[in-house]
Amino acid sequence: MIKNISNLGDAALYCDFGKEVNKEINTQVIKYFKTIQKKNIIGVNNITPSYNKLIISFDLKKINFTKLKKIIDNIEIIKSDNIQNKKFEIPVCCEKEFSLDIKRLEEKLKMTEEKIYENFFENEFFCYMTGFIAGMPFLGDLDENLRAKRLDTPRVKVPKGSIGLTEQFANIYTFESPGGWNIIGNTPLNIFDSTKEKEPNLINPGDLVTFKRISKENYQNYHE
Amino acid sequence: MSKNYFEIIRAGINSTFQDLGRKNLYHIGIPFSGAMDNRNYLLANKLIGNDHNDPVIEFAYQGPHLKYHGDKLNIAITGDVSFKIKKGDNLTDGKCYQTFILENNDELNIISTNKSVYGYLAISGTFDLKLQWSSCSTNTRANIGSNNGAKLSDNQKINIKQINQNLSITKLNYVNTKIENIRVIKGTNFNYFSDEGKRNFFKNEFKVSKLSDRMGMRLEGQKIENIIDTNIRSEGLIKGVIQVPADGNPIIMLSDHGTIGGYPKIGVVISADYDKLVQLTPGSNVKFQEVDLNSAETLFKLYELETQNLISQI
């Protein structure tokens, strides 16, 4: 549940679900997000769910903090069975040219490459949020043994499709972009399609994701 | 091929199509975008008799030099801008907040913005544009929006789908005022900073860095010391948020900002001051003044009244 609602500037509500980051709290955030989205409240411009916060920005010409807070305070959250979570299996190729940071991870985690991949591909991930760059999913939780910090110096360019790990999360770079996550492979699947007017992103908050290792041959054929 | 079009002789530094932006997409990572200076954007459209959400060309510093081909077209430029209009051998200085009629083969040369960053060109017609998520607004970093998500380039053409018959000359007496202080509401991580850091934030001047664009404005000045954590769990951002990363230099989120960020927020620029904020040129000084939510809302009402008052004079 929302622990506290405060104002972020004069045109946004800052809904705080507490300090912790886990699936239960994030599921609450997503429920609020979906409920508020369905309500189509006049004046609301954007609703941004993240791990344990929900930011609702609005048009100050149409509504203000006090009025919107009242609506959110009294909102009835839709039951969880009405929220449909999709499941995805994302193909990943881990050939040398794609697994840019696997050697670094072997060192940092004191684990062999085989173990790291075994652990990673066995895991089922939950999408906490999407964003930073268009369509990028933040997926958790990584096994405790696979948690590493960001690169000391972020890359200027991380290739599109890269799978990155940092702390308890994995993500997918939907575009070539700067970034500091540990890259362990690459997917040929298009995670974000800007030509789609509706649902341009494949993976949404609350969805479940597993990864499947594919050969270089499969990777290349995927493009054809 | 379109009968009416602009030929771009020189595209300028960062000329893009903009409108009021696109909403309801932050949750998938797509920024709001839209015209940076909302009031000047609206005035450009209103002067020409357009709708309040029609696409215009926004330019920064040096604008485009255009040659016009087609039927008579009315144009308006807003902001603090120097431009010239060439009709045959006759070269005249243009004036902002006033309409001008372009005829076949006339040239419009938007030379520069003066002591400001952004200016707007609206036409009495409809640019032939492909919208993306109901908006033309171009975000060149994410390649989103009209013109394939890119800024205008030299030698390209801008087609005009349709020209309105409105060729009346309209004028508005308006001068963009300068701002000395940018008013700010304390951010959600205000207590992450040392007492001295908090004091300095509202006491000292900051300099707008050259590394500023439609995504963000970087500031330089006395470093703001963080005493809790230089990172927070990534969470949603909105425009106007002032983040302070580990190096102690504030960054203000502007219209093309990333939707999620993990740096502590020391403050948020109030809505009423956003238009003036974005017009601050690199090298100029800015000082922050603290206001509370109530004052910010009142100041926004005043800002809106002033805008409506200007529109009613057109």
Side-chain angles (χ1 to χ4, degrees), chain B residues 125-288:
Chain B
T126 318
F127 291 114
D128 188 6
L129 299 177
K130 211 176 127 204
L131 304 185
Q132 200 170 10
W133 296 298
S134 321
S135 165
C136 75
S137 287
T138 309
N139 178 338
T140 56
R141 297 271 194 126
N143 282 328
I144 288 170
S146 296
N147 200 38
N148 297 316
K151 59 186 183 180
L152 298 178
S153 52
D154 295 352
N155 303 319
Q156 90 171 81
K157 273 179 191 165
I158 305 170
N159 289 324
I160 297 163
K161 222 163 33 182
Q162 196 190 323
I163 292 181
N164 306 336
Q165 295 309 309
N166 177 11
L167 294 173
S168 60
I169 294 299
T170 322
K171 237 186 197 177
L172 175 70
N173 281 319
Y174 178 60
V175 181
N176 283 281
T177 49
K178 287 281 143 204
I179 197 160
E180 278 151 21
N181 291 338
I182 294 288
R183 289 161 294 190
V184 163
I185 294 178
K186 277 188 210 164
T188 41
N189 307 112
F190 191 71
N191 60 8
Y192 273 49
F193 302 95
S194 68
D195 286 344
E196 203 196 344
K198 289 184 233 179
R199 264 198 310 276
N200 287 339
F201 180 69
F202 287 117
K203 203 180 81 190
N204 292 340
E205 284 195 333
F206 291 89
K207 186 176 267 184
V208 178
S209 139
K210 268 181 270 181
L211 296 169
S212 297
D213 57 16
R214 283 184 46 95
M215 248 180 121
M217 179 183 282
R218 286 170 188 262
L219 303 174
E220 290 161 357
Q222 198 157 2
K223 308 270 182 285
I224 299 164
E225 189 198 5
N226 186 314
I227 49 166
I228 296 192
D229 196 340
T230 53
N231 281 284
I232 57 168
R233 286 288 185 183
S234 291
E235 60 185 36
L237 293 172
I238 55 166
K239 68 180 190 178
V241 161
I242 310 171
Q243 296 191 105
V244 183
D247 68 8
N249 289 318
I251 305 174
I252 312 180
M253 300 296 106
L254 302 182
S255 305
D256 286 350
H257 68 83
T259 53
I260 285 173
Y263 297 123
K265 303 172 177 70
I266 195 169
V268 188
V269 174
I270 66 168
S271 300
D273 286 354
Y274 187 79
D275 289 351
K276 290 185 175 172
L277 171 79
V278 302
Q279 293 288 13
L280 294 170
T281 52
S284 54
N285 289 328
V286 52
K287 204 173 164 193
F288 298 113

Side-chain angles (χ1 to χ4, degrees), chain A residues 6-14 41-47 55-69, chain B residues 32 238 271 293 297 300:
Chain A
S6 56
N7 64 303
L8 180 62
D10 56 19
L13 257 66
Y14 183 88
I41 303 165
I42 290 170
V44 167
N45 281 340
N46 276 294
I47 316 163
I55 296 191
I56 311 169
S57 60
F58 54 85
D59 184 344
L60 200 42
K61 272 181 281 199
K62 296 179 182 151
I63 197 164
N64 68 14
F65 174 75
T66 315
K67 283 183 199 155
L68 187 55
K69 181 174 182 295
Chain B
F32 207 89
I238 55 166
S271 300
L293 179 59
E297 287 177 350
F300 184 74

Side-chain angles (χ1 to χ4, degrees), chain B residues 82-98:
Chain B
S82 294
F83 64 99
K84 288 184 188 296
I85 291 170
K86 193 175 166 214
K87 290 180 176 287
D89 292 333
N90 191 4
L91 193 65
T92 52
D93 285 332
K95 266 193 183 146
C96 290
Y97 305 104
Q98 181 180 327

Side-chain angles (χ1 to χ4, degrees), chain A residues 144-217:
Chain A
E144 302 261 357
N145 297 322
L146 289 191
R147 297 180 184 181
K149 288 199 179 296
R150 285 179 174 78
L151 306 185
D152 296 333
T153 308
R155 285 196 171 80
V156 178
K157 284 178 182 177
V158 179
K160 180 188 173 181
S162 291
I163 312 294
L165 309 184
T166 276
E167 287 157 8
Q168 75 201 71
F169 304 105
N171 74 3
I172 308 171
Y173 284 84
T174 47
F175 292 99
E176 181 186 271
S177 140
W181 291 45
N182 299 281
I183 306 302
I184 59 151
N186 194 291
T187 179
L189 193 65
N190 203 13
I191 307 293
F192 184 83
D193 184 353
S194 63
T195 61
K196 283 188 182 161
E197 275 290 317
K198 279 187 181 167
E199 300 192 22
N201 55 326
L202 186 68
I203 305 165
N204 285 288
D207 289 346
L208 297 171
V209 174
T210 50
F211 293 95
K212 183 189 163 197
R213 192 164 182 166
I214 58 166
S215 66
K216 196 172 172 185
E217 207 186 341

Side-chain angles (χ1 to χ4, degrees), chain A residues 22-198:
Chain A
N22 58 47
K23 279 174 214 170
E24 289 67 41
I25 288 176
N26 187 247
T27 303
Q28 283 293 322
V29 177
I30 293 164
K31 274 186 200 169
Y32 267 88
F33 163 70
K34 293 194 173 174
T35 309
I36 298 164
Q37 203 181 34
K38 271 203 181 134
K39 282 208 104 152
N40 284 321
I41 303 165
I42 290 170
V44 167
N45 281 340
N46 276 294
I47 316 163
T48 321
S50 59
Y51 302 122
N52 51 6
K53 306 279 185 287
L54 185 70
I55 296 191
I56 311 169
S57 60
F58 54 85
D59 184 344
L60 200 42
K61 272 181 281 199
K62 296 179 182 151
I63 197 164
N64 68 14
F65 174 75
T66 315
K67 283 183 199 155
L68 187 55
K69 181 174 182 295
K70 210 170 175 184
I71 297 175
I72 303 302
D73 277 337
N74 293 313
I75 215 159
E76 257 186 62
I77 295 305
I78 43 176
K79 292 221 170 67
S80 44
D81 29 307
N82 293 338
I83 294 176
Q84 289 190 339
N85 298 330
K86 291 184 194 157
K87 284 189 179 188
F88 296 98
E89 190 182 66
I90 309 293
V92 182
C93 180
C94 302
E95 289 296 306
K96 246 188 190 163
E97 58 189 290
F98 299 131
S99 56
L100 308 174
D101 299 309
I102 193 70
K103 294 286 166 226
R104 179 183 189 271
L105 284 180
E106 278 190 313
E107 257 174 55
K108 295 275 174 194
L109 304 171
K110 298 188 173 56
M111 244 172 140
T112 63
E113 186 180 323
E114 291 73 34
K115 272 276 168 208
I116 294 172
Y117 283 127
E118 196 186 300
N119 198 321
F120 175 75
F121 285 107
E122 268 174 13
N123 204 356
E124 185 182 58
F125 292 88
F126 172 84
C127 179
Y128 280 85
M129 60 181 182
T130 50
F132 176 62
I133 56 172
M136 179 189 265
F138 286 72
L139 309 164
D141 296 334
L142 272 176
D143 190 272
E144 302 261 357
N145 297 322
L146 289 191
R147 297 180 184 181
K149 288 199 179 296
R150 285 179 174 78
L151 306 185
D152 296 333
T153 308
R155 285 196 171 80
V156 178
K157 284 178 182 177
V158 179
K160 180 188 173 181
S162 291
I163 312 294
L165 309 184
T166 276
E167 287 157 8
Q168 75 201 71
F169 304 105
N171 74 3
I172 308 171
Y173 284 84
T174 47
F175 292 99
E176 181 186 271
S177 140
W181 291 45
N182 299 281
I183 306 302
I184 59 151
N186 194 291
T187 179
L189 193 65
N190 203 13
I191 307 293
F192 184 83
D193 184 353
S194 63
T195 61
K196 283 188 182 161
E197 275 290 317
K198 279 187 181 167

